[in-house]
Amino acid sequence: MGFPQRLTDIPGRLTVEEFWEMFGRIENEMLDFKRAVSKDIRETIPAMAMTVGGYIVHGVNRRLEIVGCPRSQKTVDRITKISYECAVDVQVRSVVVAGTEITITAVPEVCGRIVTTPDGRLLRRVGGDSMPLRGGSLARFVQERVGGPADEETVASIQASDLSLRLVNRVLNANGRPAVPPDGLVRSLADLGVARRSPAADGVMTAAVVLFAKEPTRFIPGASVQLVRRLGVGPGPGVSESREECSGPLPEVLDCCLEFIGRHTARYQAVVGTRREDMAEYPESVLREVVLNGLAHRDYRLAGATVDVTVWDDRIEVRSPGPLPGHITVENIREEHYSRNRRIMQVLKTLRLVEEYGEGVDRMFREMEARLMEPPIFVATSSSVTVTLRNRSLVDVTDQAWLAQLSAYPLSSAERLALVIAHREGAVTPRRLREALPDTNTSALLAGAVAKGLLLRVGERGGTRYQLSGEIVRRAGSGAAELHNRKRQMLLDEIRRRGSISTSEGVRLLGGNSVAVRNLLNQLVQAGLARADGRTRARRYYNP
């Protein structure tokens, strides 16, 4: 039982369990709980109307107890009076939850005009709160809201044959609808919300052209992506190694872009425990999100302007036409969302190319952080938005692959680095962590990691060190075998670099005791990777 799309989707009677399963216990932009019909719905109604609409549930207190609020004449009159003051037409109905009557107010999303509070403030829902818009973000929001969404504009001279019936039927099937023959294509576009109901194709919206047109640039100049691979890191244009244009229905353009990026970025092999992991240079889910954002949120009114993707040696830049939409700024882009092209986004959600609205950017940051890579960089101007992904990480690919096994844990970047050091070196000491994180309160970090069950404290005072906890070892491995192999590889690399090495020189390189280092060197000899010459004390190890 999911969140209701329409007021009529809510049954007249529910059990307590069914009620919470349907609405959830957390207020959000589409849901607000009230004990009764309080004065502050003068803010909630216009804020929901200027976001995506939603429900005000009257009869639930702050402790999330269903206390009831019957749909009496007084209740209806009060809600109707406030909605009239806000100039929003709401719907009101009663629902009985386990014998207790509550009242639900359904607030529609209002487009094409501005809705304010009775005292003239423009609000939007942010999480479970109603927040005011100010300054430049207010001006952009008003301009876009009054002008109407670009993806709702109709496109002239388009025929049903210009659209991909195969892709339309794919969306219909994903939406639980049967496939249609060619003569049912335009009608099905109206069912999907990307065309106005008309017997001809003259009501087809920009959204339908972007999503389904075989050659969208015939109708929307610039509805394509220009991709280029440049050598070096700049500044300057750099030498172009490869160019390509991706055009067509949006889902196919997305695949085309990802294929180009895949051909011009690296893939690595990392051994984690007994498994070999294939790692892309950039997290693939982040690449998909950044390209999809450029396609879905660009301003399609800017005729001739394309989305541009540039792959450099050290970064990928995705530039999309148009400023940030609505009230979105670089500072609030992780917490808030506003879709310039709502109808395009709805179809992409049906195809499961996007999940919940507004989560994509935050997920990009989390995925980059999970591999200890630099966060995405957003640069917005009055005419474009550029997102930059850099391929630098605090750890190597093997460590990134090991960290991937801990994706279920909500870890900070500092905690991830502490775990990597403990995995790589057998343990992490406060001094070692201070060297790696000089601007971090390492005492608090280590104490928190122990409290969370990530690390285990061993020893006291000057000999204190922190090892991976049993839970982390069970989840991702202890790293003992990897550490052993890493040390042996370091010795082999040093022999190849210098020509030879002694046990004492190996101790200075790796630390530890001479017996352990000598055993590692003798293992190289037994494997035929080195040869030994001389007696025990004066023995040196050479290239074979």
mmCIF file of all heavy atoms in Angstrom, residues 419-451:
data_model
loop_
_atom_site.group_PDB
_atom_site.id
_atom_site.type_symbol
_atom_site.label_atom_id
_atom_site.label_comp_id
_atom_site.label_asym_id
_atom_site.label_seq_id
_atom_site.Cartn_x
_atom_site.Cartn_y
_atom_site.Cartn_z
ATOM 1 N N LEU A 419 39.437 3.239 8.500
ATOM 2 C CA LEU A 419 39.265 1.807 8.254
ATOM 3 C C LEU A 419 40.228 1.314 7.184
ATOM 4 O O LEU A 419 40.783 0.208 7.295
ATOM 5 C CB LEU A 419 37.820 1.513 7.842
ATOM 6 C CG LEU A 419 36.748 1.723 8.914
ATOM 7 C CD1 LEU A 419 35.369 1.432 8.338
ATOM 8 C CD2 LEU A 419 37.004 0.839 10.119
ATOM 9 N N VAL A 420 40.439 2.114 6.152
ATOM 10 C CA VAL A 420 41.378 1.723 5.099
ATOM 11 C C VAL A 420 42.785 1.571 5.670
ATOM 12 O O VAL A 420 43.497 0.601 5.365
ATOM 13 C CB VAL A 420 41.371 2.751 3.947
ATOM 14 C CG1 VAL A 420 42.582 2.558 3.039
ATOM 15 C CG2 VAL A 420 40.095 2.611 3.132
ATOM 16 N N ILE A 421 43.213 2.513 6.502
ATOM 17 C CA ILE A 421 44.556 2.420 7.090
ATOM 18 C C ILE A 421 44.662 1.181 7.973
ATOM 19 O O ILE A 421 45.661 0.445 7.921
ATOM 20 C CB ILE A 421 44.867 3.697 7.899
ATOM 21 C CG1 ILE A 421 44.958 4.906 6.966
ATOM 22 C CG2 ILE A 421 46.185 3.532 8.661
ATOM 23 C CD1 ILE A 421 45.085 6.234 7.687
ATOM 24 N N ALA A 422 43.633 0.925 8.794
ATOM 25 C CA ALA A 422 43.650 -0.268 9.647
ATOM 26 C C ALA A 422 43.675 -1.538 8.814
ATOM 27 O O ALA A 422 44.356 -2.515 9.164
ATOM 28 C CB ALA A 422 42.435 -0.262 10.571
ATOM 29 N N HIS A 423 42.965 -1.548 7.708
ATOM 30 C CA HIS A 423 42.955 -2.713 6.818
ATOM 31 C C HIS A 423 44.297 -2.894 6.124
ATOM 32 O O HIS A 423 44.847 -3.993 6.043
ATOM 33 C CB HIS A 423 41.844 -2.533 5.781
ATOM 34 C CG HIS A 423 41.884 -3.504 4.651
ATOM 35 N ND1 HIS A 423 42.361 -3.165 3.405
ATOM 36 C CD2 HIS A 423 41.527 -4.809 4.565
ATOM 37 C CE1 HIS A 423 42.281 -4.216 2.607
ATOM 38 N NE2 HIS A 423 41.780 -5.220 3.281
ATOM 39 N N ARG A 424 44.880 -1.792 5.648
ATOM 40 C CA ARG A 424 46.105 -1.849 4.863
ATOM 41 C C ARG A 424 47.319 -2.155 5.734
ATOM 42 O O ARG A 424 48.209 -2.908 5.342
ATOM 43 C CB ARG A 424 46.305 -0.519 4.148
ATOM 44 C CG ARG A 424 47.523 -0.468 3.243
ATOM 45 C CD ARG A 424 47.823 0.978 2.852
ATOM 46 N NE ARG A 424 46.722 1.597 2.141
ATOM 47 C CZ ARG A 424 46.583 2.906 2.004
ATOM 48 N NH1 ARG A 424 47.452 3.726 2.558
ATOM 49 N NH2 ARG A 424 45.565 3.407 1.331
ATOM 50 N N GLU A 425 47.362 -1.568 6.939
ATOM 51 C CA GLU A 425 48.553 -1.666 7.783
ATOM 52 C C GLU A 425 48.380 -2.576 8.992
ATOM 53 O O GLU A 425 49.277 -2.672 9.828
ATOM 54 C CB GLU A 425 48.955 -0.258 8.231
ATOM 55 C CG GLU A 425 49.227 0.674 7.050
ATOM 56 C CD GLU A 425 49.533 2.104 7.456
ATOM 57 O OE1 GLU A 425 49.720 2.336 8.684
ATOM 58 O OE2 GLU A 425 49.589 2.985 6.567
ATOM 59 N N GLY A 426 47.234 -3.220 9.107
ATOM 60 C CA GLY A 426 47.001 -4.131 10.226
ATOM 61 C C GLY A 426 46.394 -3.445 11.426
ATOM 62 O O GLY A 426 45.711 -4.085 12.225
ATOM 63 N N ALA A 427 46.618 -2.169 11.584
ATOM 64 C CA ALA A 427 46.048 -1.379 12.676
ATOM 65 C C ALA A 427 46.299 0.088 12.366
ATOM 66 O O ALA A 427 47.128 0.433 11.519
ATOM 67 C CB ALA A 427 46.667 -1.753 14.023
ATOM 68 N N VAL A 428 45.561 0.967 13.046
ATOM 69 C CA VAL A 428 45.774 2.399 12.913
ATOM 70 C C VAL A 428 46.036 2.970 14.297
ATOM 71 O O VAL A 428 45.357 2.622 15.260
ATOM 72 C CB VAL A 428 44.564 3.094 12.244
ATOM 73 C CG1 VAL A 428 43.275 2.889 13.029
ATOM 74 C CG2 VAL A 428 44.844 4.583 12.053
ATOM 75 N N THR A 429 47.035 3.808 14.401
ATOM 76 C CA THR A 429 47.368 4.451 15.668
ATOM 77 C C THR A 429 46.889 5.901 15.635
ATOM 78 O O THR A 429 46.696 6.472 14.557
ATOM 79 C CB THR A 429 48.874 4.423 15.921
ATOM 80 O OG1 THR A 429 49.530 5.215 14.910
ATOM 81 C CG2 THR A 429 49.412 2.989 15.885
ATOM 82 N N PRO A 430 46.701 6.514 16.811
ATOM 83 C CA PRO A 430 46.316 7.930 16.823
ATOM 84 C C PRO A 430 47.308 8.805 16.061
ATOM 85 O O PRO A 430 46.904 9.719 15.333
ATOM 86 C CB PRO A 430 46.287 8.269 18.319
ATOM 87 C CG PRO A 430 45.978 6.961 18.983
ATOM 88 C CD PRO A 430 46.683 5.926 18.166
ATOM 89 N N ARG A 431 48.610 8.507 16.206
ATOM 90 C CA ARG A 431 49.612 9.312 15.509
ATOM 91 C C ARG A 431 49.484 9.161 13.998
ATOM 92 O O ARG A 431 49.544 10.151 13.256
ATOM 93 C CB ARG A 431 51.009 8.896 15.963
ATOM 94 C CG ARG A 431 52.129 9.665 15.271
ATOM 95 C CD ARG A 431 53.483 9.231 15.797
ATOM 96 N NE ARG A 431 54.557 9.952 15.116
ATOM 97 C CZ ARG A 431 55.846 9.778 15.384
ATOM 98 N NH1 ARG A 431 56.224 8.929 16.333
ATOM 99 N NH2 ARG A 431 56.753 10.454 14.707
ATOM 100 N N ARG A 432 49.300 7.936 13.534
ATOM 101 C CA ARG A 432 49.173 7.692 12.097
ATOM 102 C C ARG A 432 47.940 8.401 11.547
ATOM 103 O O ARG A 432 47.974 8.959 10.435
ATOM 104 C CB ARG A 432 49.061 6.178 11.840
ATOM 105 C CG ARG A 432 48.827 5.797 10.381
ATOM 106 C CD ARG A 432 50.049 6.029 9.544
ATOM 107 N NE ARG A 432 49.850 5.608 8.171
ATOM 108 C CZ ARG A 432 49.323 6.400 7.227
ATOM 109 N NH1 ARG A 432 48.969 7.652 7.510
ATOM 110 N NH2 ARG A 432 49.170 5.936 5.997
ATOM 111 N N LEU A 433 46.846 8.406 12.304
ATOM 112 C CA LEU A 433 45.628 9.041 11.835
ATOM 113 C C LEU A 433 45.767 10.558 11.824
ATOM 114 O O LEU A 433 45.232 11.229 10.939
ATOM 115 C CB LEU A 433 44.448 8.617 12.721
ATOM 116 C CG LEU A 433 43.051 8.842 12.135
ATOM 117 C CD1 LEU A 433 42.908 8.172 10.777
ATOM 118 C CD2 LEU A 433 41.986 8.320 13.092
ATOM 119 N N ARG A 434 46.513 11.099 12.795
ATOM 120 C CA ARG A 434 46.743 12.551 12.794
ATOM 121 C C ARG A 434 47.546 12.970 11.576
ATOM 122 O O ARG A 434 47.339 14.047 11.001
ATOM 123 C CB ARG A 434 47.468 12.971 14.080
ATOM 124 C CG ARG A 434 46.568 13.060 15.298
ATOM 125 C CD ARG A 434 47.261 13.794 16.433
ATOM 126 N NE ARG A 434 48.450 13.098 16.910
ATOM 127 C CZ ARG A 434 48.449 12.171 17.857
ATOM 128 N NH1 ARG A 434 47.294 11.831 18.442
ATOM 129 N NH2 ARG A 434 49.560 11.593 18.240
ATOM 130 N N GLU A 435 48.477 12.123 11.144
ATOM 131 C CA GLU A 435 49.242 12.425 9.936
ATOM 132 C C GLU A 435 48.340 12.444 8.702
ATOM 133 O O GLU A 435 48.502 13.283 7.809
ATOM 134 C CB GLU A 435 50.343 11.371 9.744
ATOM 135 C CG GLU A 435 51.433 11.408 10.812
ATOM 136 C CD GLU A 435 52.401 10.237 10.666
ATOM 137 O OE1 GLU A 435 52.123 9.358 9.822
ATOM 138 O OE2 GLU A 435 53.407 10.198 11.394
ATOM 139 N N ALA A 436 47.382 11.511 8.669
ATOM 140 C CA ALA A 436 46.491 11.411 7.505
ATOM 141 C C ALA A 436 45.396 12.467 7.534
ATOM 142 O O ALA A 436 44.955 12.942 6.479
ATOM 143 C CB ALA A 436 45.868 10.015 7.450
ATOM 144 N N LEU A 437 44.959 12.858 8.746
ATOM 145 C CA LEU A 437 43.852 13.807 8.890
ATOM 146 C C LEU A 437 44.255 14.902 9.871
ATOM 147 O O LEU A 437 43.772 14.954 11.009
ATOM 148 C CB LEU A 437 42.590 13.084 9.385
ATOM 149 C CG LEU A 437 42.019 11.998 8.472
ATOM 150 C CD1 LEU A 437 40.978 11.174 9.204
ATOM 151 C CD2 LEU A 437 41.400 12.635 7.220
ATOM 152 N N PRO A 438 45.152 15.802 9.484
ATOM 153 C CA PRO A 438 45.683 16.794 10.421
ATOM 154 C C PRO A 438 44.644 17.777 10.949
ATOM 155 O O PRO A 438 44.824 18.361 12.010
ATOM 156 C CB PRO A 438 46.751 17.523 9.594
ATOM 157 C CG PRO A 438 46.363 17.288 8.162
ATOM 158 C CD PRO A 438 45.741 15.934 8.134
ATOM 159 N N ASP A 439 43.540 17.966 10.247
ATOM 160 C CA ASP A 439 42.537 18.933 10.668
ATOM 161 C C ASP A 439 41.337 18.287 11.349
ATOM 162 O O ASP A 439 40.276 18.913 11.487
ATOM 163 C CB ASP A 439 42.050 19.744 9.457
ATOM 164 C CG ASP A 439 43.176 20.534 8.806
ATOM 165 O OD1 ASP A 439 44.047 21.014 9.542
ATOM 166 O OD2 ASP A 439 43.180 20.640 7.563
ATOM 167 N N THR A 440 41.489 17.036 11.758
ATOM 168 C CA THR A 440 40.381 16.283 12.355
ATOM 169 C C THR A 440 40.671 15.972 13.815
ATOM 170 O O THR A 440 41.820 15.729 14.188
ATOM 171 C CB THR A 440 40.150 14.968 11.584
ATOM 172 O OG1 THR A 440 39.854 15.273 10.215
ATOM 173 C CG2 THR A 440 39.003 14.160 12.164
ATOM 174 N N ASN A 441 39.652 15.982 14.650
ATOM 175 C CA ASN A 441 39.770 15.547 16.046
ATOM 176 C C ASN A 441 39.849 14.025 16.041
ATOM 177 O O ASN A 441 38.830 13.338 16.102
ATOM 178 C CB ASN A 441 38.572 16.035 16.852
ATOM 179 C CG ASN A 441 38.693 15.708 18.336
ATOM 180 O OD1 ASN A 441 39.425 14.789 18.733
ATOM 181 N ND2 ASN A 441 37.972 16.442 19.168
ATOM 182 N N THR A 442 41.067 13.505 15.949
ATOM 183 C CA THR A 442 41.244 12.064 15.779
ATOM 184 C C THR A 442 40.836 11.279 17.024
ATOM 185 O O THR A 442 40.389 10.140 16.910
ATOM 186 C CB THR A 442 42.703 11.747 15.412
ATOM 187 O OG1 THR A 442 43.573 12.334 16.377
ATOM 188 C CG2 THR A 442 43.042 12.299 14.042
ATOM 189 N N SER A 443 40.981 11.878 18.211
ATOM 190 C CA SER A 443 40.564 11.182 19.436
ATOM 191 C C SER A 443 39.065 10.907 19.404
ATOM 192 O O SER A 443 38.614 9.799 19.697
ATOM 193 C CB SER A 443 40.927 12.013 20.667
ATOM 194 O OG SER A 443 42.321 12.176 20.765
ATOM 195 N N ALA A 444 38.289 11.940 19.029
ATOM 196 C CA ALA A 444 36.839 11.770 18.935
ATOM 197 C C ALA A 444 36.476 10.797 17.817
ATOM 198 O O ALA A 444 35.550 9.988 17.953
ATOM 199 C CB ALA A 444 36.173 13.122 18.702
ATOM 200 N N LEU A 445 37.222 10.867 16.710
ATOM 201 C CA LEU A 445 36.957 9.974 15.583
ATOM 202 C C LEU A 445 37.170 8.521 15.981
ATOM 203 O O LEU A 445 36.321 7.661 15.718
ATOM 204 C CB LEU A 445 37.868 10.344 14.414
ATOM 205 C CG LEU A 445 37.842 9.404 13.200
ATOM 206 C CD1 LEU A 445 36.467 9.346 12.583
ATOM 207 C CD2 LEU A 445 38.872 9.848 12.164
ATOM 208 N N LEU A 446 38.291 8.218 16.639
ATOM 209 C CA LEU A 446 38.581 6.846 17.033
ATOM 210 C C LEU A 446 37.601 6.361 18.096
ATOM 211 O O LEU A 446 37.137 5.215 18.046
ATOM 212 C CB LEU A 446 40.017 6.748 17.539
ATOM 213 C CG LEU A 446 41.101 6.904 16.459
ATOM 214 C CD1 LEU A 446 42.471 7.068 17.096
ATOM 215 C CD2 LEU A 446 41.093 5.712 15.514
ATOM 216 N N ALA A 447 37.275 7.234 19.056
ATOM 217 C CA ALA A 447 36.313 6.842 20.090
ATOM 218 C C ALA A 447 34.956 6.540 19.468
ATOM 219 O O ALA A 447 34.280 5.569 19.840
ATOM 220 C CB ALA A 447 36.193 7.949 21.133
ATOM 221 N N GLY A 448 34.539 7.358 18.492
ATOM 222 C CA GLY A 448 33.270 7.123 17.813
ATOM 223 C C GLY A 448 33.280 5.842 17.008
ATOM 224 O O GLY A 448 32.297 5.108 16.972
ATOM 225 N N ALA A 449 34.418 5.550 16.348
ATOM 226 C CA ALA A 449 34.523 4.323 15.553
ATOM 227 C C ALA A 449 34.445 3.087 16.440
ATOM 228 O O ALA A 449 33.866 2.068 16.053
ATOM 229 C CB ALA A 449 35.828 4.332 14.757
ATOM 230 N N VAL A 450 35.020 3.177 17.642
ATOM 231 C CA VAL A 450 34.922 2.059 18.596
ATOM 232 C C VAL A 450 33.481 1.905 19.070
ATOM 233 O O VAL A 450 32.945 0.795 19.151
ATOM 234 C CB VAL A 450 35.876 2.289 19.794
ATOM 235 C CG1 VAL A 450 35.616 1.248 20.884
ATOM 236 C CG2 VAL A 450 37.324 2.221 19.329
ATOM 237 N N ALA A 451 32.827 3.028 19.392
ATOM 238 C CA ALA A 451 31.447 2.979 19.871
ATOM 239 C C ALA A 451 30.503 2.405 18.815
ATOM 240 O O ALA A 451 29.530 1.724 19.144
ATOM 241 C CB ALA A 451 30.993 4.386 20.276
#
